[in-house]
Amino acid sequence: MPEAENTLHPMSTDDDAHVKLADETARVELADEAALVDLADEAATMALGAALAADIERLPGTVIYLSGDLGAGKTTLTRGFLRALGFAGRVKSPTYTLVELYVISKLNLYHFDFYRFSDPDEWQEAGFRDLFNQTNICLVEWPEKAGELLPLPDLHITLTTAMGTAPHATRTATLMAQTPRGLGILKHLVLTQPVLKPAK
């Protein structure tokens, strides 16, 4: 049985533009440097990750912060991102290892999780600074644990759970662009029509 496909429609020209997935699992509102996405379930969170990857794979050097409580969907979004890039293996949050490297074609993607940090200086001592460069893509869970030592993100995504339990929890993702590159990614998300595929 073929997978269902959900398409992100182009943004309208209205000031308060709304962009809906074809199955209406998400709504995206763009206002300057921010976007709000309502996610109906885990599959929609995966779809958002895939939509981001559609542009970011052409932008090595991108840094994305992923904030939210435990179970909010940070790793799920990362999984959707990696699936869209062609990675079919297991994706888990590197809570104990702190970082997981995924090499996809010529792309190096580093998935960080700083949940266990008790002091921001631990990030400095871990020697991760050199990984944040113009070649790698870095997705960072719990960036607040590293304080102000982390490089400025291009995009900061905050996930909140409104109701329900995984995989059917309703979530909201707030996307904030903090650099010109981040704003370009955000605009690409709402102005293009990437095909979004629910997770298997």
Side-chain angles (χ1 to χ4, degrees):
M1 183 176 179
E3 297 178 349
E5 294 187 347
N6 309 311
T7 303
L8 189 64
H9 296 298
M11 184 178 66
S12 73
T13 56
D14 296 335
D15 291 337
D16 296 322
H18 291 264
V19 183
K20 292 187 177 182
L21 298 180
D23 64 355
E24 298 188 352
T25 58
R27 184 184 78 253
V28 179
E29 301 171 351
L30 180 64
D32 297 325
E33 295 85 15
L36 179 67
V37 186
D38 292 331
L39 304 168
D41 51 25
E42 188 172 292
T45 305
M46 291 273 290
L48 174 60
L52 289 165
D55 189 39
I56 293 174
E57 67 176 318
R58 294 187 292 276
L59 292 174
T62 298
V63 176
I64 298 178
Y65 286 1
L66 299 173
S67 295
D69 292 336
L70 289 170
K74 300 182 294 295
T75 302
T76 299
L77 189 148
T78 300
R79 187 178 299 114
F81 192 106
L82 285 163
R83 290 285 185 268
L85 294 179
F87 180 77
R90 185 183 180 190
V91 179
K92 61 180 181 178
S93 182
T95 303
Y96 293 97
T97 59
L98 300 181
V99 62
E100 191 75 33
L101 169 62
Y102 299 91
V103 180
I104 306 167
S105 187
K106 296 181 179 180
L107 176 68
N108 289 338
L109 187 148
Y110 288 88
H111 178 201
F112 297 90
D113 185 332
F114 298 143
Y115 177 73
R116 293 174 61 83
F117 278 4
S118 58
D119 189 304
D121 287 338
E122 292 182 61
W123 181 82
Q124 189 84 349
E125 294 167 0
F128 292 144
R129 183 175 295 277
D130 289 345
L131 299 180
F132 289 76
N133 56 42
Q134 292 303 306
T135 301
N136 302 326
I137 290 179
C138 295
L139 304 184
V140 184
E141 296 191 33
W142 299 97
E144 56 275 10
K145 294 280 190 171
E148 297 180 356
L149 296 176
L150 276 176
L152 183 72
D154 297 294
L155 202 62
H156 191 165
I157 302 174
T158 301
L159 291 154
T160 57
T161 302
M163 62 181 68
T165 57
H168 305 295
T170 299
R171 298 183 177 100
T172 298
T174 303
L175 297 82
M176 295 290 296
Q178 299 193 13
T179 67
R181 172 186 284 171
L183 184 58
I185 293 169
L186 202 56
K187 287 182 176 179
H188 182 273
L189 175 64
V190 298
L191 291 173
T192 62
Q193 297 188 27
V195 175
L196 308 181
K197 295 183 179 181
K200 293 182 178 180

